[in-house]
Amino acid sequence: MTILEVALPTPLRRRFDYLLPGNWSGDNPMPGSRVKVPFGNQELIGLLITCKSHSHLAEHKLKPALEILDEIPVMDTELLELSLWAADYYQCAPGEALQTALPVLLRQGVPAHLAGETVFTLTPEGKGLPQGALKRSPKQAALLAALQQQDYLRRSDLAPLGISRPILKQLQDKGLVETKELLPERPDTLHLLREQPLVLGDEQTKVMASLHTEGFTTYLLDGATGSGKTEIYLQAIEKVLTQGKQALVLVPEIGLTPQTLARFHRRFAAPVVTLHSGLNDRERLDAWLQARAGHASIIIGTRSAIFTPLAKPGIIIVDEEHDGSFKQQDGFRYSARDLAVMRAQRLGIPLILGSATPSLESLHNAQSQRYQHLQLRARAGSAIPPELRLLDIRNQALHEGFAAASLAAIDATLKAGNQVLVFLNRRGYAPALECHACGWLAQCNHCDARLTLHQSPRHLHCHHCDHQRAVPHTCPECKSPQLFPLGQGTERSESALQQLFPQVPVIRVDRDSTRAKDGMQKLLAGVHQGIPCILVGTQMLAKGHHFADVTLVVIIDADAGLFSTDFRGPERMGQLLLQVAGRAGRAEKPGQVLIQSYHSDHPLMQTLVSRGYHTLAEQILHERQLTQMPPYRHLALLRAESQRPELALQFLERARLLAEDTLPPSPLLSYLGPLPAMMEKRGDRFRYQLQFNAAQRKPLQQLLSQLALQLEADPLGRRVRWALDVDPQEM
Ligand code: ADP
Ligand code: ZN
Ligand code: ZN
């Protein structure tokens, strides 16, 4: 007897058994095929994991599947196994992991059919007509003549020939013309390049020589912004394409800029597809299928693109590997960067992790020789690295958040005909609204957070739960009309700068100003023409963009990460400041970076500015070793939230008891909590977490798998919202 073991889109951490459909004849369906099955009183589409001969359920309890949707599996074995491995590792239901890996349309049951381009061609009967036939209708004759000269016509060919839809239809009705589907051709390995690669500098040459494009190795390509990492990616990809293989390139969520894409298209004649959040479902599926069929040579995408099927995998590249967006923060909480290591290893292909500010995990892996460390120290071409300067702003009169020295530098830069970038990682007008009379602050009713004041349109906005409210005219506590914005947001800096420097455009780049489709591109069009201007923006500006004429960067609130309760705060601060700093002076013009700080004598800040990111990283790594934190230990969080705080707490206490029952606390595994999350109340829910800190992955994994099943079965587990987060990025 054949039993189908199926992963279904439910949050349950198990697989489900079914019989073959009643009318089934022939060979067993292949793993990775979609299966439609009855589930309670609904029908679900799942994925066949394996066919087996025994079930732990009695035969009369098994139901037949309704339909096998694929003859050729939508998911090949490699991808199926990777997804199931990831589901296990990240403690997620297999069905949920597979949901992430499959494009939406496939989950809905749409045929996995690569849509080709519809073209027009002659039927055999049409081909039988003599030259110059159909004379009575000149337009029909013209169409016929055109098709007698070339095999087929594309839709776009019709208008220039003066052929309209009705003419075409007439010939189709006569049975002379038909449509056919034209599939994209396989890439041609002889004509890969559109432009010649750059001549590599000495460091780049050494890096390229150490980079082998056969076999599995993880390379950490550690090179300052502008040192020529992208050129290394392009040349490594070229080698792989020459072997007839594909390249998968992962970029951070907002790092996929038109500039980056244009660079790939300029270099390669081979087909490039992109997978990102701006695609509609059909476009996403097409890109996925093209990768699967091997028609796409280069696949560039954000986090979930790690699950793209590859016909001929050749290399994986993760750009800005330190970026937090590679970790999914809800549902299936996987890290695309870490999965890239696993996938490359399984495929036996090289992986390049690139960054100017590598994560401490990757640096540690490089130090312990798990990764091969490749370094680029100098900037490529003639560019000079920017100079970093700390501006101590204690006891200084600030004008709208700006120190006098910052304003003078901005003025001088603009006068010299250059551009300025002002970085402030807070959108809106001001992060708080305060009553001058009694000190009242506008708070969100649903979160432990202040409401941000926005000016255009004017309203109060919670950036955590999206709650919005009108701005009050008087203080709700004391009725005073003296309500003032407190602190700086991008809108406020924008308007202050516009008043101070009315002669140049001030361009604000944040989530609000770029909301429209292509918003970012339109905003930045002027900037790329090189006219003197001021850019004000959040971290959206820090990623992926190249601003050749920016020679001054002013960082307004550098201190945010220094005192964060998240142990990764200082690491993130260092990465962000250097990424922003890296925007300055990328071309021939040297750049300057001013960092305003209230804590300019803080040792971490001092190290970063005077000795650079790598020394900072060493210092933080040393601290992590002493405090027994990653990368020296392995963390997991059990998160729970509920509108009733006592329920979430009770749930976590129970979980801790269950866990300690299995693995008592020891130097190899310690428990911490339940403790409140960084923001205890958010969106009306109270949030807590239990932390697991283990010396080794394996026992932690086993403990968590068992615990997850116990908690799934626990009645309290159904009354709170809970999740396991393995290798959490946010505490
Ligand atoms: P990164 O990815 O490290 O920021 P890029 O590869 O984008 O660096 O290089 C930065 C700039 O230097 C780009 O304008 C690039 O065209 C140029 N560049 C890179 N390598 C070379 C080279 N070997 N010779 C000349 N210019 C180069
Ligand atoms: Zn008041
Ligand atoms: Zn809120």
Side-chain angles (χ1 to χ4, degrees):
M1 189 174 55
T2 300
I3 314 269
L4 309 177
E5 190 174 301
V6 180
L8 290 178
T10 83
L12 296 173
R13 288 170 178 77
R14 45 171 290 217
R15 301 164 180 195
F16 299 84
D17 288 350
Y18 287 90
L19 298 171
L20 281 166
N23 55 359
W24 187 263
S25 60
D27 294 342
N28 283 343
M30 309 250 281
S33 308
R34 289 169 299 167
V35 187
K36 193 190 273 184
V37 298
F39 188 78
N41 48 15
Q42 26 172 354
E43 287 178 3
L44 292 180
I45 294 177
L47 215 62
L48 177 61
I49 294 177
T50 184
C51 291
K52 55 189 186 182
S53 50
H54 292 286
S55 172
H56 61 277
L57 289 176
E59 195 186 332
H60 68 272
K61 291 217 167 146
L62 291 173
K63 290 188 186 150
L66 301 170
E67 193 185 345
I68 309 285
L69 299 183
D70 303 300
E71 237 170 274
I72 300 165
V74 282
M75 209 182 252
D76 60 30
T77 320
E78 185 254 325
L79 202 52
L80 184 65
E81 284 176 0
L82 179 79
S83 312
L84 292 174
W85 181 88
D88 276 349
Y89 182 80
Y90 292 104
Q91 304 295 337
C92 153
E96 270 192 303
L98 290 166
Q99 290 290 299
T100 303
L102 277 187
V104 175
L105 290 180
L106 292 184
R107 288 180 233 159
Q108 294 169 352
V110 166
H113 172 66
L114 186 59
E117 184 186 354
T118 305
V119 296
F120 304 96
T121 177
L122 290 177
T123 58
E125 203 176 322
K127 287 192 181 123
L129 290 181
Q131 299 277 341
L134 303 177
K135 259 197 266 38
R136 264 183 294 156
S137 159
K139 293 242 159 117
Q140 288 185 6
L143 175 56
L144 178 69
L147 283 173
Q148 282 170 335
Q149 271 168 31
Q150 60 197 83
D151 271 355
Y152 57 83
L153 290 173
R154 306 186 127 94
R155 276 184 210 283
S156 55
D157 296 334
L158 299 176
L161 291 171
I163 294 160
S164 62
R165 284 242 139 233
I167 305 290
L168 199 63
K169 179 93 175 28
Q170 285 159 18
L171 290 199
Q172 278 178 295
D173 290 346
K174 287 187 184 169
L176 300 173
V177 166
E178 64 186 356
T179 58
K180 86 171 183 196
E181 218 177 330
L182 192 67
L183 288 174
E185 279 170 38
R186 282 190 180 265
D188 155 9
T189 46
L190 291 177
H191 303 96
L192 282 171
L193 296 183
R194 255 193 249 283
E195 63 168 21
Q196 279 310 304
L198 297 175
V199 177
L200 295 180
D202 290 348
E203 284 191 315
Q204 286 174 316
T205 307
K206 260 173 58 193
V207 163
M208 250 348 254
S210 331
L211 237 165
H212 301 287
T213 48
E214 315 245 348
F216 168 65
T217 307
T218 301
Y219 299 94
L220 175 60
L221 180 56
D222 179 353
T225 326
S227 62
K229 295 185 296 297
T230 310
E231 185 60 32
I232 298 285
Y233 302 155
L234 294 173
Q235 300 203 12
I237 291 173
E238 182 191 335
K239 280 202 193 172
V240 165
L241 299 191
T242 317
Q243 301 160 9
K245 296 183 190 158
Q246 294 166 290
L248 174 62
V249 183
L250 301 186
V251 295
E253 239 147 52
I254 49 180
L256 183 54
T257 62
Q259 271 173 305
T260 317
L261 269 184
R263 205 153 156 201
F264 278 83
H265 282 296
R266 254 201 330 269
R267 176 67 52 93
F268 295 107
V272 179
V273 300
T274 53
L275 285 157
H276 55 85
S277 56
L279 299 183
N280 67 32
D281 292 346
R282 185 69 230 182
E283 290 167 330
R284 175 169 289 270
L285 176 58
D286 282 342
W288 198 88
L289 291 170
Q290 281 178 30
R292 190 179 75 159
H295 294 310
S297 298
I298 303 173
I299 297 96
I300 308 180
T302 48
R303 182 175 61 227
S304 65
I306 188 58
F307 295 108
T308 311
L310 299 170
K312 294 202 148 187
I315 192 169
I316 306 180
I317 292 169
V318 180
D319 189 28
E320 310 290 5
E321 65 87 30
H322 64 277
D323 195 275
S325 71
F326 288 121
K327 176 92 158 78
Q328 178 143 308
Q329 298 296 355
D330 52 17
F332 177 23
R333 294 169 185 253
Y334 66 98
S335 156
R337 179 201 56 206
D338 296 348
L339 277 182
V341 181
M342 177 51 74
R343 190 167 187 199
Q345 183 176 16
R346 287 162 163 262
L347 289 170
I349 60 171
L351 165 67
I352 304 179
L353 303 177
S355 176
T357 53
S359 64
L360 298 190
E361 278 82 359
S362 295
L363 281 174
H364 179 64
N365 280 326
Q367 283 162 4
S368 52
Q369 330 261 284
R370 268 190 292 269
Y371 297 173
Q372 190 173 334
H373 204 168
L374 304 175
Q375 278 169 297
L376 293 173
R377 298 230 164 267
R379 285 200 158 189
S382 51
I384 306 162
E387 174 209 346
L388 301 183
R389 239 182 78 203
L390 267 177
L391 274 185
D392 184 349
I393 51 172
R394 277 172 298 188
N395 302 316
Q396 281 215 24
L398 298 181
H399 179 82
E400 293 284 325
F402 291 94
S406 304
L407 293 176
I410 296 176
D411 192 42
T413 306
L414 295 173
K415 286 208 173 106
N418 292 320
Q419 298 177 337
V420 177
L421 189 158
V422 173
F423 174 76
L424 173 61
N425 211 10
R426 251 189 256 121
R427 63 194 174 93
Y429 188 78
L433 181 70
E434 188 185 41
C435 168
H436 200 56
C438 75
W440 169 87
L441 284 164
Q443 288 273 355
C444 177
N445 298 342
H446 311 280
C447 307
D448 293 330
R450 290 177 190 155
L451 292 168
T452 300
L453 177 67
H454 283 250
Q455 243 7 339
S456 55
R458 189 171 158 81
H459 70 291
L460 290 169
H461 199 143
C462 175
H463 287 179
H464 305 282
C465 73
D466 228 20
H467 169 71
Q468 300 183 29
R469 224 195 291 166
V471 182
H473 295 292
T474 57
C475 170
E477 293 286 326
C478 73
K479 306 292 173 242
S480 159
Q482 306 235 43
L483 297 177
F484 292 108
L486 190 69
Q488 298 293 321
T490 46
E491 279 185 351
R492 189 173 193 175
S493 302
E494 176 193 16
S495 74
L497 288 166
Q498 194 63 86
Q499 273 179 15
L500 287 167
F501 304 100
Q503 72 281 14
V504 299
V506 177
I507 300 155
R508 174 165 60 93
V509 178
D510 57 26
R511 201 131 53 85
D512 302 313
S513 69
T514 54
R515 217 173 285 274
K517 191 166 160 58
D518 298 331
M520 176 87 101
Q521 239 171 308
K522 286 197 191 115
L523 272 177
L524 294 181
V527 182
H528 291 308
Q529 281 158 18
I531 47 160
C533 65
I534 306 177
L535 282 156
V536 184
T538 57
Q539 58 168 338
M540 284 186 100
L541 273 183
K543 296 185 190 177
H545 291 280
H546 303 255
F547 302 111
D549 297 295
V550 167
T551 57
L552 172 69
V553 172
V554 180
I555 296 174
I556 298 195
D557 61 342
D559 301 331
L562 284 178
F563 306 100
S564 161
T565 55
D566 187 330
F567 75 95
R568 286 186 219 270
E571 177 187 355
R572 295 247 171 74
M573 175 198 77
Q575 290 164 343
L576 188 57
L577 294 192
L578 280 192
Q579 292 287 338
V580 178
R583 304 302 118 197
R586 290 187 50 100
E588 281 65 36
K589 304 177 183 175
Q592 190 190 18
V593 182
L594 295 180
I595 303 177
Q596 298 191 172
S597 169
Y598 284 104
H599 304 279
S600 55
D601 48 7
H602 192 291
L604 294 177
M605 198 59 102
Q606 282 292 334
T607 305
L608 178 68
V609 170
S610 54
R611 312 197 43 207
Y613 178 78
H614 287 77
T615 315
L616 177 74
E618 282 306 316
Q619 245 175 45
I620 305 177
L621 273 173
H622 186 63
E623 252 170 56
R624 299 260 189 98
Q625 191 164 22
L626 293 176
T627 51
Q628 301 245 309
M629 293 300 266
Y632 300 94
R633 301 275 289 195
H634 306 286
L635 288 192
L637 291 180
L638 175 60
R639 304 174 184 272
E641 54 179 61
S642 166
Q643 292 186 342
R644 293 172 50 194
E646 70 282 3
L647 279 186
L649 279 167
Q650 216 184 328
F651 171 79
L652 291 177
E653 313 252 346
R654 174 111 101 229
R656 180 164 176 166
L657 286 180
L658 286 169
E660 287 189 351
D661 236 15
T662 314
L663 265 186
S666 76
L668 290 180
L669 177 69
S670 60
Y671 299 89
L672 182 67
L675 291 174
M678 199 139 57
M679 186 179 293
E680 183 169 351
K681 179 179 161 198
R682 182 168 172 174
D684 288 323
R685 291 169 182 279
F686 294 84
R687 307 149 72 230
Y688 303 90
Q689 58 201 32
L690 172 63
Q691 194 187 105
F692 304 78
N693 178 320
Q696 288 160 352
R697 271 182 216 284
K698 252 268 161 64
L700 177 62
Q701 281 312 118
Q702 283 164 353
L703 172 69
L704 296 177
S705 311
Q706 184 183 336
L707 183 62
L709 292 179
Q710 288 171 314
L711 295 175
E712 235 174 43
D714 192 303
L716 200 50
R718 287 185 211 120
R719 299 179 64 195
V720 304
R721 222 193 255 183
W722 62 274
L724 278 162
D725 191 350
V726 177
D727 304 333
Q729 283 296 307
E730 278 170 22
M731 303 300 288

